[in-house]
Amino acid sequence: MPAFVPATRNTGQVAPERLSAPQKALRQLGLTRDIDLALHLPLRYEDETRITRLANARLGEPVQFEGAVTHQEVAVRGRRQLLVMVDDGSATCLLRFFHFYPAQLKQMAVGARLRVRGDLRGGPGALTMMHPVVHAAGGELSSALTPVYPAAAGLPQAYLRKAVAAGLARADLSETIAPECLNLIPALHACSLKEALSFLHHPAPSQSALALEDRNHPAWQRLKAEELLAQQLSQLAARRERAHLQAPALAARPDESSDSLPAQLLAALPFTLTGAQRRAVREIETDLAAPRPMQRLLQGDVGAGKTVVAALAAALAINAGWQCALMAPTEILTGQHFSKLAGWLEPLLAPLGQRVVWLTGSQKKKERAAQLTAIESGQAALVVGTHAVIGEQVRFARLGLAVIDEQHRFGVQQRLELRRKLSDQGAALAREPHFLMMSATPIPRTLAMSYYADLDVSTLDELPPGRTPVVTKLVHERRRAEVIAHLRGWTETGRQIYWVCPLIDSPDDDQPGTSPPTPSAQELRAAIETQAELAAALPGREVGLLHSRLPPAEKKTVMARFAAAELPVLVATTVIEVGVDVPNASVMVIEHAERFGLAQLHQLRGRVGRGATASACVLLYGSPDGAPLGAAARQRLQAMRETHDGFEIARRDLAIRGPGEFLGARQSGAALLRFADLTEGDLILAWARRAAPIMLDRYPALAHRHVQRWLGGRADYLKA
Ligand code: ADP
Ligand code: MG
């Protein structure tokens, strides 16, 4: 039996330190069960079935040819490289290797006959291949296309191919979709899961790469349908489970109306709600009045005014005699929420002997103890904090509502834990709390339908009046000095400026798990250097520095001084990204904007344009040496210049990244939707939504097997 068998079958029993490197890599890719291997589909195919004459080959495509070496040299042109000229009788091709071994010099000696496979580049008379695969000429040709699988470091294709083939042979691929459901789309009947997988893993000799990669082929249709059905099933099951849970019905008593907490809060607000806010509050109110836990996502663009909706929800809960917890991913943000919410609610709560409490990391023991007591006695009506709110010693007397702000910023694991612990808090009273999630990163409709099938969604699609649009400029890094020169003018007119330092690591915006992102040492250095650079350019002005490694108390001071307009310029790593609200700040400069994800750029830009002054966002991009930007980076910057609408931004982000990555990165690092492409239209999605209740109602055993097969241990992630 091949070496990988233990890893794929019994990963539970094999101690991690005894796994080989490829076994570990398989596990990291989530390929632990036979079925996981079977569902690991090729990324593309290589054609080793024929030999092409160079004269007939097409540029830019993978080609396999055979010919004799006519020339070989090791040249130093910038970098040391091995150059080998091969002639196949119809044309010549130059092979170029930057990494090579002495054995290769021998293998490709002048006169040797080679079989060469690689991507063909160059013009007529000057064909080239970089790092092609080279064998001696004359070996047997494969009879079918060779699959190439998504791999990882330390996982050779040959190993992966064998592992997948073994997994495919062993996996149970019996039908799990009831015929009644299959009948709804003929293409699904045309191809079973088993047929679909063997079609894609073991292409028939006659199969062209084009047919295999055509996502409209019945095999692909079948896989998409299977995957979406699994997802809809697991969410529908979760929703039904939830319908059996008890939550406190938080309805206002009929005898109170004008003097209820929410009514008092509304009257005390310095503004009137937008239509969208009123609608969202009504939806929440209806949910809260039911004896089932609410599970609602409030999505709205940056600055749409989600906080006040949360405050009204809290007031509804408190009014009905329950406590509310509000969590946000960063300490800075919880501080802002606390001052805002305490400012609104404390005057109303004080006469009732209740208050708002902020759990922070920088608290003295005694203070913390007093707060814990207040939470336990129910005197703390609203508790604001990071995930510290679910800390070991925190015991709510009557938790009725949990609000999670910027929920996508909590990692999946953290989100699951939050939910679990908050549910436990209610267990004593046999009542689950209601949940309100908030996010400024909207999900396009098709994604929301499939991905958040277990959530109800309220959308704030209207900004409060009086916002001035932010003018966005793209400026090349070479013109950095000009931007700095402008800073002085801006500060002289009393404007405040955020200067955001670059991410040094990955441009991925939605790294799960860690919030706030900790800056690397390099990032920190960049921020400190920038602070010095700007301070030198602005004599007599103070330049503040904010990064997530500062002690909490210092962060608080810096933020407070910036909010009080004592600091004209604030240099910051991305700690300011979520939720920070300083209306007088009207300019934002983002360095190396090309390294940020689109959602993140949009969030950052949302920090300005909150006051009455015209605002600007300068996206500095590129490096002084003028290296060109990648296509995706260019598209991101362009989208930023062209639109301010968070929903449009989300749509473009999805188009640039594709749903796998869009959701994968956001959710767990392991893409949950591997095949379904939700940008394409939703025929199959509509089918899955129709089939899921049929399966659950009439074929529960099949439904269970289906979800296990497709989601296995990941089903939980769909609820996070
Ligand atoms: P976000 O949705 O990004 O969390 P916030 O809740 O921070 O937005 O609101 C942004 C700003 O708009 C805050 O200063 C808030 O007080 C203000 N605001 C909220 N709703 C309204 C409204 N209806 N009219 C005027 N200003 C509002
Ligand atoms: Mg907010």
Side-chain angles (χ1 to χ4, degrees):
M1 224 176 227
F4 47 75
V5 168
T8 58
R9 216 170 225 179
N10 301 315
T11 34
Q13 279 92 322
V14 179
E17 65 273 14
R18 288 187 32 221
L19 293 176
S20 67
Q23 285 169 334
K24 276 191 200 144
L26 279 182
R27 192 185 263 202
Q28 265 163 13
L29 287 176
L31 305 180
T32 52
R33 307 171 303 166
D34 289 335
I35 187 69
D36 298 325
L37 286 161
L39 295 176
H40 192 64
L41 289 187
L43 204 55
R44 57 191 170 81
Y45 300 87
E46 273 179 5
D47 189 350
E48 297 170 62
T49 62
R50 59 202 156 116
I51 305 293
T52 307
R53 278 163 56 83
L54 281 174
N56 302 337
R58 277 201 297 211
L59 291 179
E61 286 186 4
V63 168
Q64 179 165 261
F65 74 96
E66 285 189 354
V69 176
T70 56
H71 178 79
Q72 182 197 76
E73 79 178 282
V74 174
V76 181
R77 297 183 189 164
R79 273 169 76 187
R80 209 171 98 88
Q81 50 192 281
L82 168 62
L83 301 171
V84 177
M85 187 67 85
V86 183
D87 188 337
D88 83 337
S90 74
T92 59
C93 180
L94 181 67
L95 317 184
R96 194 188 287 270
F97 302 83
F98 289 110
H99 314 281
F100 53 94
Y101 302 100
Q104 284 174 296
L105 299 179
K106 244 201 214 147
Q107 180 195 23
M108 294 183 269
V110 171
R113 285 195 54 80
L114 302 176
R115 177 178 295 175
V116 183
R117 183 162 43 85
D119 287 338
L120 197 62
R121 301 194 206 167
L127 299 173
T128 64
M129 276 188 191
M130 293 275 282
H131 285 259
V133 179
V134 176
H135 299 284
E140 213 174 291
L141 288 169
S142 340
S143 59
L145 295 177
T146 314
V148 180
Y149 291 101
L155 188 58
Q157 277 294 325
Y159 185 96
L160 187 52
R161 254 175 226 144
K162 271 195 216 158
V164 168
L168 182 64
R170 280 193 307 249
D172 166 21
L173 298 174
S174 55
E175 185 62 79
T176 50
I177 307 181
E180 181 182 350
C181 296
L182 290 174
N183 287 340
L184 299 172
I185 298 188
L188 300 182
H189 248 327
C191 186
S192 70
L193 175 65
K194 195 167 181 173
E195 286 160 350
L197 291 177
S198 41
F199 173 79
L200 293 167
H201 283 299
H202 304 305
S206 61
Q207 219 48 256
S208 74
L210 223 56
L212 288 165
E213 282 157 19
D214 173 13
R215 296 278 166 141
N216 289 317
H217 189 280
W220 282 112
Q221 300 280 349
R222 174 69 189 224
L223 288 171
K224 288 183 205 176
E226 292 249 343
E227 178 171 56
L228 284 172
L229 178 62
Q231 198 195 28
Q232 293 295 322
L233 276 174
S234 100
Q235 306 225 6
L236 186 62
R239 182 183 277 267
R240 290 187 176 180
E241 216 171 278
R242 186 155 55 82
H244 294 296
L245 296 175
Q246 293 283 314
L250 307 178
R253 291 186 302 275
D255 57 319
E256 56 176 358
S257 48
S258 62
D259 61 348
S260 71
L261 270 182
Q264 289 181 51
L265 174 55
L266 269 179
L269 286 176
F271 47 76
T272 51
L273 297 187
T274 63
Q277 284 171 323
R278 272 202 300 275
R279 202 171 52 238
V281 171
R282 263 202 311 276
E283 287 164 350
I284 292 168
E285 195 170 359
T286 309
D287 282 0
L288 291 181
R292 292 179 302 281
M294 167 170 81
Q295 191 94 283
R296 187 168 283 279
L297 175 70
L298 174 62
Q299 57 171 8
D301 211 344
V302 193
K306 293 182 287 294
T307 317
V308 70
V309 175
L312 283 160
L316 281 162
I318 298 167
N319 194 59
W322 293 76
Q323 288 168 293
C324 174
L326 188 147
M327 275 141 297
T330 70
E331 189 90 22
I332 292 188
L333 200 48
T334 62
Q336 278 195 20
H337 281 330
F338 173 72
S339 33
K340 194 155 236 169
L341 294 169
W344 283 335
L345 287 168
E346 288 246 294
L348 313 178
L349 291 176
L352 310 172
Q354 293 185 310
R355 59 196 179 95
V356 182
V357 152
W358 181 23
L359 288 178
T360 80
S362 55
Q363 234 148 24
K364 301 238 163 55
K365 248 195 183 147
K366 229 168 112 188
E367 200 183 345
R368 165 64 63 109
Q371 288 181 335
L372 292 177
T373 313
I375 296 172
E376 210 162 341
S377 73
Q379 194 202 20
L382 172 61
V383 183
V384 180
T386 58
H387 56 281
V389 168
I390 54 160
E392 285 306 327
Q393 307 114 338
V394 186
R395 302 255 181 291
F396 284 86
R398 286 163 67 76
L399 182 64
L401 170 67
V403 183
I404 306 177
D405 192 19
E406 307 289 352
Q407 68 120 15
H408 62 285
R409 275 281 148 198
F410 287 101
V412 177
Q413 286 303 344
Q414 223 170 33
R415 241 144 63 197
L416 284 171
E417 201 191 334
L418 270 178
R419 296 272 196 97
R420 197 169 45 242
K421 291 225 171 144
L422 289 164
S423 296
D424 287 351
Q425 292 276 354
L429 300 158
R431 293 280 190 277
E432 295 266 321
H434 296 278
F435 281 96
L436 177 64
M437 273 72 74
M438 306 204 286
S439 168
T441 310
I443 306 267
R445 195 185 69 94
T446 42
L447 278 189
M449 273 190 354
S450 95
Y451 205 74
Y452 286 138
D454 186 35
L455 287 183
D456 297 304
V457 180
S458 295
T459 301
L460 298 184
D461 51 6
E462 184 183 350
L463 290 182
R467 295 283 158 81
T468 47
V470 180
V471 176
T472 301
K473 290 222 158 76
L474 306 187
V475 179
H476 197 278
E477 175 67 27
R478 276 188 298 247
R479 292 172 51 203
R480 180 189 183 88
E482 286 171 49
V483 174
I484 294 178
H486 269 298
L487 277 192
R488 195 180 334 224
W490 285 325
T491 56
E492 272 159 17
T493 56
R495 292 169 142 205
Q496 284 182 277
I497 296 135
Y498 291 108
W499 186 291
V500 180
C501 284
L503 289 174
I504 303 294
D505 296 333
S506 91
D508 193 346
D509 48 333
D510 293 297
Q511 286 170 22
T514 48
S515 358
T518 315
S520 66
Q522 232 182 326
E523 247 155 38
L524 203 55
R525 195 160 2 98
I528 292 168
E529 277 168 16
T530 305
Q531 182 198 24
E533 181 187 11
L534 299 185
L538 297 167
R541 305 254 171 209
E542 199 177 341
V543 177
L545 176 63
L546 188 67
H547 56 79
S548 52
R549 289 209 193 158
L550 285 181
E554 205 174 325
K555 264 192 241 173
K556 217 154 82 180
T557 319
V558 174
M559 241 3 258
R561 292 190 61 210
F562 188 64
E566 286 170 31
L567 296 171
V569 182
L570 183 63
V571 171
T573 58
T574 46
V575 286
I576 59 157
E577 179 193 341
V578 284
V580 173
D581 187 25
V582 179
N584 191 50
S586 60
V587 179
M588 167 159 297
V589 181
I590 303 176
E591 269 192 71
H592 278 299
E594 76 277 7
R595 294 186 192 166
F596 292 85
L598 195 45
Q600 197 174 20
L601 286 174
H602 180 65
Q603 286 269 323
L604 281 168
R605 181 172 58 183
R607 301 306 115 219
V608 294
R610 300 189 153 219
T613 29
S615 295
C617 175
V618 179
L619 301 177
L620 274 174
Y621 68 92
S623 48
D625 64 16
L629 292 183
R634 256 200 326 269
Q635 286 173 334
R636 290 197 294 266
L637 295 180
Q638 212 159 350
M640 284 296 289
R641 189 172 55 193
E642 287 167 8
T643 179
H644 290 88
D645 176 350
F647 289 86
E648 174 63 16
I649 295 261
R651 207 188 54 72
R652 298 226 195 163
D653 201 16
L654 179 64
I656 295 170
R657 298 205 278 168
E661 217 189 311
F662 186 86
L663 287 174
R666 177 157 301 160
Q667 297 304 328
S668 66
L672 292 170
L673 280 179
R674 288 170 286 180
F675 311 122
D677 179 354
L678 297 171
T679 52
E680 274 173 6
D682 34 13
L683 182 72
I684 293 187
L685 176 57
W687 170 82
R689 285 163 69 82
R690 220 172 119 198
I694 301 178
M695 290 284 296
L696 266 192
D697 290 337
R698 300 186 207 158
Y699 311 96
L702 280 182
H704 178 75
R705 266 175 56 211
H706 189 80
V707 172
Q708 276 307 310
R709 171 182 290 174
W710 277 89
L711 299 172
R714 296 177 307 162
D716 256 4
Y717 284 133
L718 289 170
K719 298 181 202 155

